[in-house]
Amino acid sequence: MSESVWENSGRYLMRKRKIRFAILSVFLGLSVTATLITSIYTYFQMENVMKITSRDLIDKTQRVIINDTADYLNPARFIPMISAGLVRRDAEDILHSPELDNFLMEALNEFPQIDAFYNGDEKGNTLIVGRIGLNRVYAFSEVTSLPNDALYFVRKINRSAMPSQETRYYYNQQGEQVATETNPADPGFDPRTRPWYTGAKKLGDRYCTDMYLYESRDLGLTFAVPVYDRNNQLTEVMSADITVSKISDLLRHQKASRSGINFIVTPEGNLAGYPDASKIVLTLNRQPQIARLDQVGEPSLAMAYSLYQKNHEPHLFFTFDNIDYIAHFTPFPASSGKNWILGMVVPADDFIGPIKQTSREVLMISLLILAIASMMLVIFSHKISYPIERLAGQMRKIRTLDIEEEPAIESSLQELAQMEDALRAMKEGLNSFSKFVPKALVQRLINSGQEAKLGGERKRLTFLFSDIESFTSISEKMPSDVLIKHLSEYLSELSRIIIHFHGTIDKYIGDSIMAFWGAPDRDEQQVFHACQAVWMCNQRLRDLNAEWTRQGKPVLRTRFGLHQGDAVVGNVGSADRLNYTVIGDNVNLGSRLEGINKVYGTYVMVSESIYEKAKDKFLFRLVDIVAVKGKEKGVKIYQMIGKYNDTIAESVTPQDISSAMKTQVAFEAYVKQKWDDAERLYNQLLTETPDDKIAALYLKRIAEFRENPPDPSWDGVTHLLTK
């Protein structure tokens, strides 16, 4: 019985019906169903969409906070590394390096968040460089005032002298010594017992202390770096103290919503940052101490962090005290040097409240429109059926190329009139087409109903362009067959590396390679893979060029350009010849970056989009802000220096990091038209590396700007006039 009912129902649905009733039943049924489903689905999904949107907004805000915090801490992380390099290079110990003293005073002047530098060695000798506080008197006299222009002090404790001596030197803004005093050393102060010294010594690597309170109740950290001699024996530990209270300002100003709260906690739940800095430090039993998250008077924050620790889910939705909240937690990257966790808790109604009310209103309006539309369908269905039946008859005739002119179809509906006009135009086109192509072929194309299509899709990709330096001169000096073999070996080696790191070879343009990442296969680490490919290509070329030199063959020095951006990828060409390639402005910019190497004497040039995603694993040096030919907007470009902690090739050295940081500061001074500061720093770079073409280029530019100052509207962008 049941099977018979289903069979009868199926036959009823499948039987042929008049178009009037088909239109009415299908449109009415689909309209009712679609309206109800869409309205209900929209009502529930809009809340979910807003949750996703809020999560993305919160995630973006947190990335900004983490990046700003890392930038704030970076000077304290890297300056001790540079200091270690200066000690190894220039002095027998930390007490006899004027260059180190001057460098640390310059660092204090450049980075106000750094309080002081503490450096000690295994003999107990100590070098402390800091700012003179409000109590401007000699340390050992305490009643005699220091010179008015004294700004920094350099405190040196010599444990090798008998008896131990402590000497304090006082310097002004220009680095000139203005006072000094000497006294027997305090036997109670030994750097070897300090947490920063013992921590770095035990770890054998860069070390950061836990947060602690200064006497001023400000929060601070100490970053330390151990220094080893050639026998791998510890000789010194260099460190920097940095105040972290200013991080509260970042948390207070970067908000995803009006009521959201940002905070930074340690894995143990202690506060490292809070919008209201006064709540970070509590006084218990008359002793100041760092507050825990559950002690700031916001129980929703403590609950959110408890759920995060329990579930390890970065995105949370929870209810507390009858209020819905959205929470988001992001661990700081390992490169920041701290295992902090950035949290944000936002009342859900900040995002979802207005959406709920709007969804209810949309549902009611949709039901009203559905009722009106249903009545209109009943009225107009019979007016549509007859003209459509006429049009359907004419379309059936087209399949047999019966395209004789017929009387016009009378209808007050604009769409049917448009359909008739389109059908008439199609008849005229087919009639004309049949005069050039046999009708049998035209009929076959019509009956197939298919067409081969070209096209592509827009994706975010990473582009690589390479070019051999002076290849034209090389090719003129080599026989063709030898040149082809030499170039083939070169292209094979580089292509193998690119493919190994998930790249797609687009084409070979003479001696150049064009490749991209992110298509056809999705690659979430496309920027890292592209940078790794370029880095390994350079390492392989170093070995190949050495071998070719031994064989008497010319070396092939190669320039690379890397950029990431949106482009169209897909099949381009003709119907019988296709090419899977990428096109778009961002592709052109990648090609221009390769050519820009010639201007700055570099070999690997990357855009800012590459730098931002690879700076934690590769060291880059800021080169310039350029606007390529045909563009007005400038983009930052960087030179790839090396890869951090590379086990295959040479790793980044402290000198490399120092050069990159000095270049950053020099370029910022250049853009601000501080010619003296920029010239001094670029001269330092040129002294350290005489063949530094970037420093030489900027010194030339500075000289030209001194003669012919730039316009007031100059923003530091270099407009390139050639490709």
Side-chain angles (χ1 to χ4, degrees):
M1 179 66 179
S2 176
E3 292 180 358
S4 176
V5 171
W6 282 110
E7 289 176 357
N8 292 336
S9 300
R11 284 194 294 270
Y12 175 80
L13 293 174
M14 296 299 295
R15 74 179 183 178
K16 305 296 183 182
R17 295 189 295 273
K18 288 287 185 178
I19 189 159
R20 179 187 306 176
F21 300 105
I23 291 175
L24 182 61
S25 60
V26 171
F27 275 85
L28 188 58
L30 288 177
S31 297
V32 172
T33 304
T35 301
L36 290 175
I37 292 176
T38 302
S39 299
I40 295 172
Y41 179 82
T42 302
Y43 178 80
F44 290 105
Q45 282 297 106
M46 284 187 72
E47 180 177 346
N48 187 51
V49 169
M50 284 308 302
K51 287 182 178 179
I52 295 173
T53 303
S54 63
R55 184 182 66 185
D56 292 342
L57 178 60
I58 292 172
D59 184 67
K60 180 180 179 180
T61 303
Q62 289 197 326
R63 286 198 302 270
V64 171
I65 293 174
I66 288 177
N67 289 338
D68 289 348
T69 303
D71 290 343
Y72 180 85
L73 297 177
N74 275 341
R77 294 178 56 228
F78 290 116
I79 290 176
M81 296 173 60
I82 301 171
S83 302
L86 293 175
V87 171
R88 283 197 297 261
R89 186 182 66 189
D90 296 327
E92 59 188 43
D93 58 42
I94 58 177
L95 300 180
H96 301 87
S97 177
E99 183 179 0
L100 177 60
D101 299 347
N102 293 332
F103 171 74
L104 295 180
M105 284 188 287
E106 288 180 5
L108 286 174
N109 182 58
E110 189 68 27
F111 303 105
Q113 65 265 43
I114 297 180
D115 288 311
F117 296 98
Y118 283 76
N119 311 292
D121 64 17
E122 282 295 274
K123 299 176 182 178
N125 296 323
T126 306
L127 169 66
I128 304 173
V129 180
R131 298 182 184 85
I132 297 174
L134 298 177
N135 188 20
R136 300 181 55 81
V137 295
Y138 284 87
F140 303 133
S141 173
E142 296 186 357
V143 293
T144 305
S145 297
L146 289 169
N148 292 332
D149 60 343
L151 186 61
Y152 305 107
F153 71 87
V154 177
R155 180 184 177 189
K156 296 184 178 182
I157 301 176
N158 187 351
R159 300 289 184 187
S160 301
M162 296 302 292
S164 298
Q165 293 285 327
E166 176 178 345
T167 304
R168 297 201 181 205
Y169 305 89
Y170 299 92
Y171 294 84
N172 60 18
Q173 178 72 41
Q174 291 73 36
E176 300 169 344
Q177 183 178 321
V178 296
T180 184
E181 58 178 331
T182 302
N183 207 52
D186 179 8
F189 180 85
D190 190 338
R192 295 168 293 184
T193 64
R194 299 290 174 167
W196 52 269
Y197 194 106
T198 58
K201 180 177 181 179
K202 180 178 180 181
L203 187 62
D205 201 351
R206 289 181 297 178
Y207 173 77
C208 180
T209 66
D210 292 329
M211 286 196 309
Y212 56 90
L213 290 171
Y214 294 163
E215 292 181 359
S216 62
R217 293 173 64 97
D218 285 334
L219 287 174
L221 292 170
T222 300
F223 289 87
V225 175
V227 182
Y228 295 89
D229 61 16
R230 295 180 179 179
N231 298 321
N232 203 29
Q233 297 296 315
L234 180 71
T235 57
E236 298 98 7
V237 174
M238 322 298 283
S239 74
D241 287 357
I242 184 169
T243 301
V244 300
S245 300
K246 294 295 183 181
I247 295 176
S248 294
D249 295 337
L250 299 176
L251 299 176
R252 184 169 58 256
H253 293 127
Q254 292 290 346
K255 298 180 67 174
S257 75
R258 64 181 186 277
S259 305
I261 299 177
N262 301 310
F263 56 93
I264 300 174
V265 294
T266 65
E268 297 77 23
N270 295 322
L271 277 178
Y274 193 77
D276 185 355
S278 64
K279 293 187 177 182
I280 301 178
V281 180
L282 297 178
T283 301
L284 296 177
N285 298 324
R286 299 184 179 180
Q287 294 295 323
Q289 67 177 40
I290 300 173
R292 294 179 53 82
L293 183 60
D294 56 6
Q295 295 174 317
V296 297
E298 291 288 347
S300 60
L301 307 186
M303 181 176 182
Y305 186 64
S306 175
L307 291 173
Y308 169 71
Q309 288 184 309
K310 179 180 179 180
N311 302 319
H312 300 288
E313 287 290 335
H315 313 293
L316 299 171
F317 299 90
F318 67 98
T319 301
F320 177 78
D321 201 15
N322 296 322
I323 299 176
D324 294 329
Y325 289 91
I326 301 172
H328 190 104
F329 292 90
T330 303
F332 275 63
S335 60
S336 68
K338 296 303 295 179
N339 59 345
W340 291 343
I341 300 167
L342 174 61
M344 181 181 293
V345 177
V346 181
D349 277 347
D350 278 11
F351 299 101
I352 301 172
I355 297 303
K356 290 181 178 179
Q357 179 62 29
T358 302
S359 298
R360 287 190 289 267
E361 294 173 356
V362 168
L363 178 60
M364 298 303 297
I365 294 173
S366 298
L367 293 175
L368 178 60
I369 293 174
L370 174 61
I372 297 173
S374 299
M375 290 186 290
M376 294 181 65
L377 280 172
V378 172
I379 296 172
F380 286 102
S381 62
H382 72 281
K383 294 184 178 182
I384 299 174
S385 60
Y386 176 70
I388 289 180
E389 288 174 353
R390 288 276 309 274
L391 290 171
Q394 294 184 33
M395 290 178 182
R396 285 193 295 270
K397 292 181 180 180
I398 290 178
R399 295 183 66 89
T400 60
L401 288 184
D402 182 2
I403 50 179
E404 296 297 329
E405 189 68 26
E406 295 191 12
I409 298 174
E410 295 182 1
S411 175
S412 60
L413 299 177
Q414 181 180 2
E415 289 76 11
L416 289 174
Q418 291 174 346
M419 290 174 64
E420 184 184 15
D421 292 340
L423 185 61
R424 185 181 300 110
M426 183 172 63
K427 286 182 178 180
E428 293 173 355
L430 287 172
N431 192 36
S432 299
F433 187 52
S434 64
K435 295 178 181 178
F436 297 94
V437 182
K439 284 191 176 183
L441 179 57
V442 178
Q443 199 166 21
R444 179 179 178 185
L445 290 173
I446 295 173
N447 289 334
S448 68
Q450 297 181 355
E451 178 185 4
K453 293 184 179 180
L454 303 175
E457 58 180 330
R458 181 168 292 276
K459 286 187 173 182
R460 191 154 187 84
L461 306 172
T462 300
F463 317 103
L464 163 69
F465 287 86
S466 74
D467 188 52
I468 298 175
E469 183 180 49
S470 303
F471 183 73
T472 301
S473 300
I474 295 173
S475 62
E476 292 174 350
K477 299 175 183 178
M478 296 183 69
S480 299
D481 56 340
V482 177
L483 176 65
I484 290 297
K485 291 181 180 179
H486 192 38
L487 182 60
S488 297
E489 182 182 3
Y490 163 86
L491 293 174
S492 297
E493 289 292 334
L494 266 62
S495 299
R496 177 182 58 80
I497 294 172
I498 292 171
I499 294 172
H500 175 75
F501 289 103
H502 313 293
T504 299
I505 303 293
D506 188 306
K507 60 177 68 70
Y508 301 105
I509 311 170
D511 61 297
S512 302
I513 299 175
M514 175 181 174
F516 55 88
W517 280 258
D521 295 328
R522 185 180 179 87
D523 187 354
E524 298 294 344
Q525 294 183 313
Q526 56 180 265
V527 172
F528 170 73
H529 290 150
C531 290
Q532 183 73 353
V534 170
W535 177 245
M536 294 309 301
C537 282
N538 270 324
Q539 303 309 311
R540 181 57 181 153
L541 281 172
R542 182 181 60 183
D543 297 337
L544 286 173
N545 284 329
E547 179 63 26
W548 288 334
T549 299
R550 288 191 292 270
Q551 296 174 1
K553 297 179 180 179
V555 299
L556 302 179
R557 296 184 178 88
T558 305
R559 295 183 290 261
F560 296 90
L562 273 180
H563 175 57
Q564 186 192 45
D566 293 339
V568 176
V569 58
N571 294 318
V572 177
S574 63
D576 54 358
R577 185 174 180 84
L578 302 176
N579 181 28
Y580 187 75
T581 187
V582 290
I583 55 176
D585 281 347
N586 284 308
V587 182
N588 297 334
L589 179 55
S591 176
R592 301 283 180 86
L593 286 174
E594 180 277 315
I596 290 175
N597 282 295
K598 302 175 186 177
V599 178
Y600 299 93
T602 57
Y603 287 93
V604 182
M605 193 73 74
V606 307
S607 66
E608 187 173 14
S609 59
I610 296 294
Y611 166 78
E612 288 296 336
K613 294 187 178 179
K615 62 183 178 181
D616 289 338
K617 296 183 179 179
F618 292 86
L619 176 64
F620 297 94
R621 182 187 185 191
L622 177 60
V623 175
D624 204 347
I625 304 175
V626 302
V628 298
K629 185 178 181 182
K631 299 292 184 180
E632 292 298 326
K633 184 179 180 181
V635 295
K636 286 185 179 180
I637 58 175
Y638 297 80
Q639 176 192 12
M640 180 187 286
I641 301 298
K643 182 184 178 186
Y644 294 114
N645 301 322
D646 195 349
T647 58
I648 298 176
E650 295 179 0
S651 298
V652 172
T653 65
Q655 288 75 18
D656 294 331
I657 298 173
S658 174
S659 176
M661 292 181 65
K662 285 183 179 179
T663 303
Q664 173 83 24
V665 177
F667 184 76
E668 290 174 356
Y670 166 80
V671 171
K672 296 176 181 178
Q673 302 184 35
K674 296 181 178 180
W675 307 127
D676 292 340
D677 294 343
E679 186 176 50
R680 175 177 55 82
L681 290 168
Y682 281 122
N683 272 317
Q684 289 181 11
L685 290 168
L686 200 60
T687 301
E688 295 170 0
T689 309
D691 60 349
D692 189 339
K693 295 182 179 180
I694 294 176
L697 174 63
Y698 275 97
L699 288 172
K700 180 180 178 182
R701 286 185 183 177
I702 291 169
E704 293 173 352
F705 280 139
R706 288 186 189 276
E707 292 291 333
N708 299 294
D711 294 334
S713 61
W714 183 71
D715 56 2
V717 176
T718 300
H719 293 269
L720 301 179
L721 303 179
T722 61
K723 295 184 178 181

